[in-house]
Amino acid sequence: MSFFLSHFNYIAVAILMMAGLFVLFSSGNLIKRMIGLAIFQTSTGLFYISLAKVFGGTAAIAVEPGSSEARELASRLDPAYVAQYGVDGVVYSNPLPHVLILTAIVVGVATLAVGLAIAVRVREAFGSVEADEIDVLSRVEATQPGPQA
Amino acid sequence: MTALPSSFDVTLALDIVLLVMLLVVAGAVARTRSLLAAIIMFSVYSLISAVWLVVMDAPDVAFTEAVVGAGVSTIILLGAILLTRGEAERPDWRRLIAPALACIAVGGLLVFAAIGLPGLGDAASPANAYVGRAYLEATPKDIGMPNVVTAVLSSYRSFDTLGETTVIFAAGVGVALMLGFGPRASLAPPSAVIGDHHVVPRVAAKLLIPLVALFAFYVQFHGDLGAGGGFQAGVIMAAAIILHALVFGLRETMAAIPPRVARSLASLGVLLYAGIGVICMMNGGGFLDYDYLFPPSVEQQIPGWLLGDSEHAHHWGQHFGIMLIELGVLLTVSATMVTIFYGFGGRTVEAARQEAKQ
Amino acid sequence: MIAFETLHAAPPALTAHAPLLMVVAPLIAACAAALAPSARVSWMISVTGSVFAAWMALAVAGEVARRGVVDYVIGGFAPPLGIALHIDGLGVMVALLVSSAGVMASLYSGHSLTTEVGAEKHTLVQSGFLLCQTGLLGLVATGDAFNAFVFLEVSSIGTYALVAIGEKRDRRALPAAFNYLIMGTIGATFYVIGIGFLYAATGTLNMADMAARLATLDDSSVVQAGFAFVVVGLGIKAAMFPLHGWLPGAYSYAPSLISIFLAATATKTSIYLMARFVFDVFPYGAAFGQAFVTWVLAPLAATGAIVCSLQAVFEKEIRRILAFSSVAQVGFILLGLSLATVGGASAGLFYLGAHALIKITLFMALGGVALSLGARRLGEFAGVAREAPWSATAFAIGAASLAGVPLTLGFLAKWRLIEAALQAGAIWVVVVLAIASLLTFLYVGRMLEAIFFRAAPAGAPRAREAPVGVLAPLWVLAGLNIWFGLDASLPEQLANSAARALLGAAP
């Protein structure tokens, strides 16, 4: 298989990450920034999952050894390949990155929720979610005395 | 022996088509000014990723991505634009130069590194040949459950999952601090939208909610056999409660499950998880070592035939340990999702009221 | 020498699990605080949890003094399959720092929260504060690279909202918190990308295992990119110049409880993790690692130390002065580490501890006074020394220590850095240190001048002395600044064993 095809995933995922990062950096709108951040994080997950794919593999849910399903799966592949890389006669994809990305997705949604909650409060306090307008108002704020307790 | 696919097979074709679709959607998100469009496209992005994840043999991740990306994230984002503004201002093109350069630099580094990576599907790569493979070999012996992802998630790397549950709890605390307090005078059911003559949605909801909840339990307990587990089940359970709020009004839902109760349940979930760990510790094992979940005196009571022969030993401690911590995850996730929804939902009503006043 | 072996007096049953309990105790306390019926109860839970964690950290210090390294296997699966905690001399030092800062901040919070945050939110604030502690201690203790990411996020997610609730006193807290969230998440995600590359190269996530496997690999683009992403990601979290943009806002506008705790710990734990990667995980001596330390880390640290000190000189708001000063001091610490000698690392780590103590003293003194005054700009603090002499004196001690006046801890810290730089033959580091120290004198002088020597304008709001609950921890901290300035055997002992652990030198 050509080098380009075998590395297409990584290059595509790199572009996806940069698309997310670009939306994040270029947009002044706080909500849009969060969308960019979410795309960036999701794409990082895709990178890990690409690492975990094994040619001819199946999802890491154990198939009963010797069952018809196991024989079915093995019949599609070269027996020498199955013998070398299979576990009990079945080739599986790597479960570890899947576990890591499950965790990362959850962290991502937690970040999104907190970020948007802050954005909503920004809107309530400043009347805007555009970074430029907020900057101007903040500069005015800097000249005001602090609140009296 | 090379471990690369010898031909251009179906998996690879699907992989490439889906990734190109993702690229198109990501480009569209970058271009659009309408936030609603951006959110819908983000949701589509998540769904396509979920399909791609299935192609990549990651059904558990696909399930989570679909539930979280296309479900929860979209709901929160929609809630947020209701409270803010629908359109983003288009930045001046000169302001795009620096971000573009930064992205090209980082992207260049990524591509530079990617060239050195083993090709897609390489079974002999360090990533796939070392620890990843060891889990596949050891799970039947150590844990005794078919779904290796669940085994790794909730036993081998259970400390990660405790951290993840804590992150969700922290997000609940954060959102509650931001949006959970303040005046919430008008929490009336949206009668203007769904009046008494709109019987159909109410009846449909009454039928659907128990079914959705039942499905959540199926996903919860199916996790050791197939795709599923506490996290996905928690989100689905929360969806049932959110559906109730959408049809019958937030006030009704808040009367049934007050915000304080939701927050307490979230913290109880983490406590349950950490508590299981501490129990294992008090019975003489390490933290979260489920083999020590039952004290030796209880273990002796289990009849020998239940434990199975030594070849196919039945891991009671592992099974119950995983079941209980998954229950903790379910509690925390569903209660936190409800807390987050209360936060945004309560504000939405308030903002709509203020808008109406002006 | 202090005998950590017996200092903690914990029963063996607890000591065996101490590394884990140190992390899980604040977590359980966080859950309990969220359930607490009243603000007072949640405060007591917070203090109890923090004290217990500090006790366990002390017990870990005893074990490390006895055995050198403590490993704790979680779930009964040894690494690389399972996750294990791994604490050495360096980990002990940072864990003691974080947990004792936690105790001080939680004691202080009893009074500060009442004025700064609405009463209905106290239980959740305490819960978030304890979660932040859990995350930082977990990050220090873990031996697993991905687990470190999870704890990095545990410590951050709640903290973003905690910074944002400073809006009650200053609405700029909200955009600052948002910015912090964006930068923090980019940093964490970069770290994850870097770990992904390292995983692709080694197939493992356990740091020790990773180090062993990296040592056998040839230098490849994958490993180099992994290194770059990990360092940049942690550099953002550590506020390494020029990635420090989030810090001044986050420290300045947060409620004082959060500024106090973050200023003492947040960047320090990220520096700790970065040091572990640069010196322990990556084969140190590999060409790119050394090139990075010499040509990237050291120049950036030096630039940061000077530029941010200058920014502090020209800043008008007092908490922002301290925040910029924090970024500058990160430069000092990294300069010490970048010498890459045991002496340099020891000096850098000594400075890390000293700076944590100095900043917690300053932010707490300021927080105590500002509770009643609500002041922000330097001018508004005019004449505070007359109304609140105890707080002002403690502030002055901290400030003197920051500037490096002899007989204070800060002086010793700077002295050791210069000594290490001279030993390593890096004269330019001495020059940078001298310039930055001069600038430090300038902004410290400006603050003290306003507080002590300027009279309050007529009709200006009057400050009140901070309550005893604030003064007690504050004066313990101020006293430590002097005590360690006279007898630095304890921090020296910790820093030396930390530096030896980091560079793998024989004890």
Side-chain angles (χ1 to χ4, degrees), chain A residues 1 3 5-23 25-29 31-32 34-36 38-39 42-43 45-47 49-62 64 78 80-81 83-88 91-103 105-107 109-114 116-121 123-124 127-130 132-133, chain B residues 1 3-5 8-9 11-12 15-16 19-20 22-23 26 29-30 32 35 38-39 42 45 49 52-53 55-61 64-65 68 72-73 76-77 80-81 83-85 87-89 91 95-96 99-100 103 106-107 110-111 114-115 117-124 127-128 131-133 135-137 146-149 152-153 157 160 164 167-168 171 175 178-179 225-227 231 340 344 347:
Chain A
M1 196 170 64
F3 182 81
L5 280 182
S6 70
H7 286 73
F8 177 77
N9 270 44
Y10 302 121
I11 293 167
V13 168
I15 298 173
L16 287 175
M17 285 185 205
M18 289 316 106
L21 213 50
F22 181 75
V23 171
F25 284 148
S26 65
S27 180
N29 184 290
I31 309 283
K32 188 124 187 232
M34 289 309 299
I35 297 177
I39 290 182
T42 310
S43 313
L46 304 188
F47 167 57
I49 304 295
S50 295
L51 288 175
K53 175 67 185 166
V54 171
F55 166 63
T58 179
I61 298 169
E64 189 71 33
D78 179 12
Y81 180 81
Q84 189 173 2
Y85 297 111
V87 175
D88 289 335
V91 178
Y92 298 100
S93 281
N94 182 356
L96 177 55
H98 299 180
V99 173
L100 304 180
I101 292 315
L102 269 175
T103 305
I105 290 175
V106 175
V107 170
V109 71
T111 315
L112 185 73
V114 174
L116 289 174
I118 296 175
V120 166
R121 295 292 300 132
R123 154 80 191 201
E124 288 178 0
S128 169
V129 281
E130 293 289 338
D132 294 346
E133 293 167 25
Chain B
M1 169 181 164
L4 292 178
F8 190 82
D9 68 346
T11 309
L12 192 61
D15 168 48
I16 290 176
L19 281 174
V20 170
L22 283 176
L23 286 170
V29 173
T32 182
L35 289 176
I39 292 168
F42 173 67
Y45 185 90
S49 318
W52 179 85
L53 288 164
V55 173
M56 289 283 122
D57 306 328
D60 281 274
V61 188
T64 313
E65 180 62 46
V68 166
V72 177
S73 299
I76 307 175
L77 279 163
I81 59 163
L83 300 176
T84 52
R85 178 156 58 172
E87 286 226 323
E89 272 171 23
R95 298 253 317 259
L96 299 181
C103 288
V106 179
L110 279 170
V111 172
I115 288 168
L117 285 173
L120 180 73
D122 188 349
N128 295 334
V131 179
R133 190 184 155 86
Y135 285 126
L136 289 165
E137 284 166 352
N147 189 345
V148 183
V149 172
V152 177
L153 187 80
R157 296 187 67 89
D160 260 0
E164 167 196 344
V167 167
I168 281 288
V175 173
M178 288 286 93
L179 302 175
L225 301 175
F231 185 76
I340 291 173
F344 283 92
R347 288 280 165 178

Side-chain angles (χ1 to χ4, degrees), chain C residues 164-484:
Chain C
I165 54 167
E167 59 161 330
K168 195 187 166 209
R169 292 168 76 79
D170 191 333
R171 64 177 175 165
R172 283 175 294 168
L174 291 166
F178 189 84
N179 202 9
Y180 181 22
L181 178 135
I182 294 278
M183 293 301 287
T185 308
I186 293 177
T189 311
F190 269 43
Y191 177 77
V192 170
I193 296 173
I195 297 300
F197 281 123
L198 296 179
Y199 174 68
T202 61
T204 183
L205 292 166
N206 181 272
M207 289 191 213
D209 197 19
M210 204 180 251
R213 297 196 139 227
L214 281 174
T216 63
L217 289 177
D218 294 331
D219 226 3
S220 74
S221 64
V222 179
V223 177
Q224 287 174 10
F227 180 83
F229 276 103
V230 165
V231 168
V232 172
L234 293 174
I236 294 177
K237 286 271 183 189
M240 188 172 92
F241 184 86
L243 306 169
H244 65 279
W246 57 270
L247 186 143
Y251 282 17
S252 307
Y253 310 131
S256 57
L257 163 66
I258 305 305
S259 316
I260 284 170
F261 187 62
L262 288 185
T265 58
T267 57
K268 314 289 183 294
T269 46
S270 297
I271 292 174
Y272 156 81
L273 194 58
M274 193 198 286
R276 269 185 83 171
F277 269 97
V278 172
F279 294 106
D280 277 356
V281 175
F282 291 99
Y284 188 72
F288 73 91
Q290 234 155 18
F292 165 78
V293 169
T294 325
W295 297 110
V296 182
L297 188 67
L300 283 182
T303 323
I306 293 180
V307 170
C308 291
S309 297
L310 257 179
Q311 264 171 305
V313 171
F314 291 106
E315 192 52 59
K316 289 195 178 63
E317 287 175 71
I318 199 159
R319 282 172 81 176
R320 288 181 68 90
I321 296 181
L322 293 183
F324 274 112
S325 147
S326 277
V327 184
Q329 316 298 315
V330 167
F332 279 54
I333 298 165
L334 291 178
L335 266 181
L337 289 174
S338 71
L339 293 174
T341 58
V342 173
S346 166
L349 293 168
F350 187 93
Y351 203 95
L352 183 146
H355 175 241
L357 180 61
I358 292 168
K359 273 291 146 66
I360 194 173
T361 314
L362 288 171
F363 270 105
M364 196 180 280
L366 209 54
V369 174
L371 283 184
S372 60
L373 193 60
R376 297 169 183 168
R377 278 172 304 156
L378 212 47
E380 295 171 81
F381 282 86
V384 161
R386 246 157 273 167
E387 273 104 30
W390 287 100
S391 303
T393 312
F395 185 86
I397 293 172
S401 192
L402 178 64
V405 172
L407 298 184
T408 60
L409 176 62
F411 172 75
L412 275 184
K414 287 215 168 83
W415 181 253
R416 285 174 56 104
L417 262 184
I418 291 172
E419 211 174 39
L422 285 176
Q423 266 170 15
I427 303 299
W428 70 275
V429 171
V430 180
V431 175
V432 169
L433 288 174
I435 297 174
S437 302
L438 201 69
L439 292 169
T440 312
F441 257 105
L442 277 179
Y443 64 76
V444 163
R446 278 183 70 211
M447 292 192 289
L448 291 183
E449 190 258 340
I451 292 175
F452 280 87
F453 301 116
R454 233 184 274 170
R462 294 171 67 85
R464 278 195 309 273
E465 185 56 276
V468 180
V470 173
L471 283 180
L474 174 60
W475 270 90
V476 170
L477 292 168
L480 283 178
N481 269 305
I482 304 271
W483 173 271
F484 288 148

Side-chain angles (χ1 to χ4, degrees), chain B:
Chain B
M1 169 181 164
T2 173
L4 292 178
S6 49
S7 62
F8 190 82
D9 68 346
V10 183
T11 309
L12 192 61
L14 273 174
D15 168 48
I16 290 176
V17 169
L18 289 167
L19 281 174
V20 170
M21 283 168 79
L22 283 176
L23 286 170
V24 172
V25 176
V29 173
R31 276 195 57 80
T32 182
R33 269 182 67 201
S34 157
L35 289 176
L36 182 62
I39 292 168
I40 302 293
M41 278 185 284
F42 173 67
S43 185
V44 171
Y45 185 90
S46 282
L47 280 177
I48 300 175
S49 318
V51 177
W52 179 85
L53 288 164
V54 174
V55 173
M56 289 283 122
D57 306 328
D60 281 274
V61 188
F63 196 171
T64 313
E65 180 62 46
V67 168
V68 166
V72 177
S73 299
T74 309
I75 292 179
I76 307 175
L77 279 163
L78 288 174
I81 59 163
L82 271 178
L83 300 176
T84 52
R85 178 156 58 172
E87 286 226 323
E89 272 171 23
R90 186 178 290 287
D92 187 16
W93 68 270
R94 271 162 299 196
R95 298 253 317 259
L96 299 181
I97 296 173
L101 287 178
C103 288
I104 289 170
V106 179
L109 183 58
L110 279 170
V111 172
F112 161 74
I115 288 168
L117 285 173
L120 180 73
D122 188 349
S125 71
N128 295 334
Y130 182 35
V131 179
R133 190 184 155 86
Y135 285 126
L136 289 165
E137 284 166 352
T139 299
K141 183 164 54 71
D142 289 345
I143 320 280
M145 65 169 46
N147 189 345
V148 183
V149 172
T150 304
V152 177
L153 187 80
S154 40
S155 193
Y156 290 107
R157 296 187 67 89
S158 52
F159 201 48
D160 260 0
T161 310
L162 174 61
E164 167 196 344
T165 314
T166 311
V167 167
I168 281 288
F169 174 56
V173 169
V175 173
L177 275 174
M178 288 286 93
L179 302 175
F181 298 92
R184 346 173 122 256
S186 67
L187 295 176
S191 53
V193 187
I194 304 169
D196 282 342
H197 51 286
H198 286 79
V199 183
V200 178
R202 287 173 177 243
V203 173
K206 277 195 176 150
L207 286 172
L208 259 178
I209 290 168
L211 280 178
V212 175
L214 194 67
F215 180 59
F217 280 114
Y218 169 74
V219 171
Q220 170 83 14
F221 294 110
H222 191 62
D224 37 1
L225 301 175
F231 185 76
Q232 294 96 326
V235 174
I236 294 171
M237 186 65 90
I241 297 167
I242 290 171
L243 180 64
H244 183 273
L246 289 178
V247 176
F248 298 100
L250 200 55
R251 195 213 300 258
E252 295 283 308
T253 315
M254 279 192 176
I257 309 170
R260 209 186 139 72
V261 170
R263 288 203 298 269
S264 306
L265 285 175
S267 111
L268 282 176
V270 181
L271 270 182
L272 173 61
Y273 198 142
I276 297 294
V278 173
I279 288 174
C280 297
M281 215 155 82
M282 292 195 321
N283 289 336
F287 187 71
L288 287 171
D289 187 347
Y290 310 131
D291 288 333
Y292 290 85
L293 183 63
F294 301 117
S297 57
V298 173
E299 203 115 281
Q300 279 162 9
Q301 305 292 317
I302 301 174
W305 54 271
L306 265 179
L307 292 169
D309 56 78
S310 57
E311 279 293 294
H312 298 279
H314 212 95
H315 301 82
W316 286 106
Q318 291 287 344
H319 277 273
F320 277 96
I322 290 175
M323 196 182 87
L324 287 169
I325 62 126
E326 291 270 11
L327 200 63
V329 175
L330 171 87
L331 263 180
T332 299
V333 169
S334 54
T336 302
M337 292 302 154
V338 170
T339 303
I340 291 173
F341 180 75
Y342 281 172
F344 283 92
R347 288 280 165 178
T348 310
V349 173
E350 206 183 307
R353 187 174 49 118
Q354 280 168 0
E355 217 99 48
K357 264 189 192 166
Q358 285 162 5

